[in-house]
């Protein structure tokens, strides 16, 4: 019966409860699921990191799609400066997302 759960009562300050509620909601998790992930202390499973990784994957997919479109334009003999500017903009967004994840990974505990 390894999956059997037990109830544990503990006290939190009001601001900690509010933070728990906000963070769990932002990650689409119940309070219990959010706390379990934090207690297990696996950085890759950290709710905020999971959310940022999902956003990062979305950005990478968008950039890949734009690279394919630009390659198609070039192969067809068309090249637009706007394509290049859009690609650079998305690259900067990708760099920001990676920096956010790196910052979360550097935080203790």
């Amino acid at each position: 019966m390894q999956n059997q759960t037990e109830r544990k009562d503990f006290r939190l300050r009001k601001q900690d409860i509010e933070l728990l509620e906000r963070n769990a909601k932002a990650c689409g998790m119940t309070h219990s699921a959010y706390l379990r992930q934090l207690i297990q202390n696996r950085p890759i499973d950290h709710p905020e990191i999971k959310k940022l990784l999902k956003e990062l994957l979305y950005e990478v997919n968008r950039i890949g799609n734009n690279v394919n479109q630009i390659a198609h334009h070039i192969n067809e003999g068309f090249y637009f400066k706007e394509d290049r500017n859009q690609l650079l903009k998305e690259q900067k967004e990708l760099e920001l997302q990676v920096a956010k994840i790196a910052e979360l990974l550097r935080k203790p505990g």
Side-chain angles (χ1 to χ4, degrees):
M1 297 202 176
Q2 292 176 335
N3 292 332
Q4 187 176 9
T5 62
E6 293 183 26
R7 183 179 182 99
K8 188 70 175 171
D9 295 320
F10 55 93
R11 297 178 187 272
L12 294 172
R13 296 177 304 185
K14 183 175 180 167
Q15 62 263 31
D16 292 333
I17 291 172
E18 291 169 355
L19 184 60
L20 170 63
E21 289 172 351
R22 271 195 318 271
N23 289 345
K25 184 177 180 181
C27 294
M29 302 173 77
T30 64
H31 298 153
S32 296
Y34 184 82
L35 289 172
R36 276 191 297 274
Q37 282 201 342
L38 291 177
I39 290 168
Q40 292 173 4
N41 197 22
R42 296 182 303 194
I44 197 67
D45 288 340
H46 196 278
E48 285 84 3
I49 293 174
K50 285 178 90 170
K51 182 179 177 197
L52 287 173
L53 285 172
K54 185 177 180 181
E55 292 171 7
L56 180 62
L57 180 60
Y58 175 77
E59 290 295 325
V60 168
N61 286 332
R62 273 189 33 204
I63 290 170
N65 189 26
N66 281 346
V67 168
N68 287 337
Q69 289 175 359
I70 290 170
H72 179 74
H73 285 159
I74 290 171
N75 290 334
E76 295 292 319
F78 299 107
Y79 177 74
F80 299 106
K81 189 174 182 179
E82 295 83 25
D83 291 333
R84 180 180 178 276
N85 291 340
Q86 181 63 29
L87 188 59
L88 290 173
K89 179 182 170 189
E90 290 182 11
Q91 180 183 356
K92 289 189 188 306
E93 180 61 31
L94 182 62
E95 290 170 359
L96 288 173
Q97 293 291 337
V98 170
K100 285 181 187 177
I101 292 170
E103 180 63 29
L104 281 174
L105 289 172
R106 282 192 287 272
K107 287 183 179 178

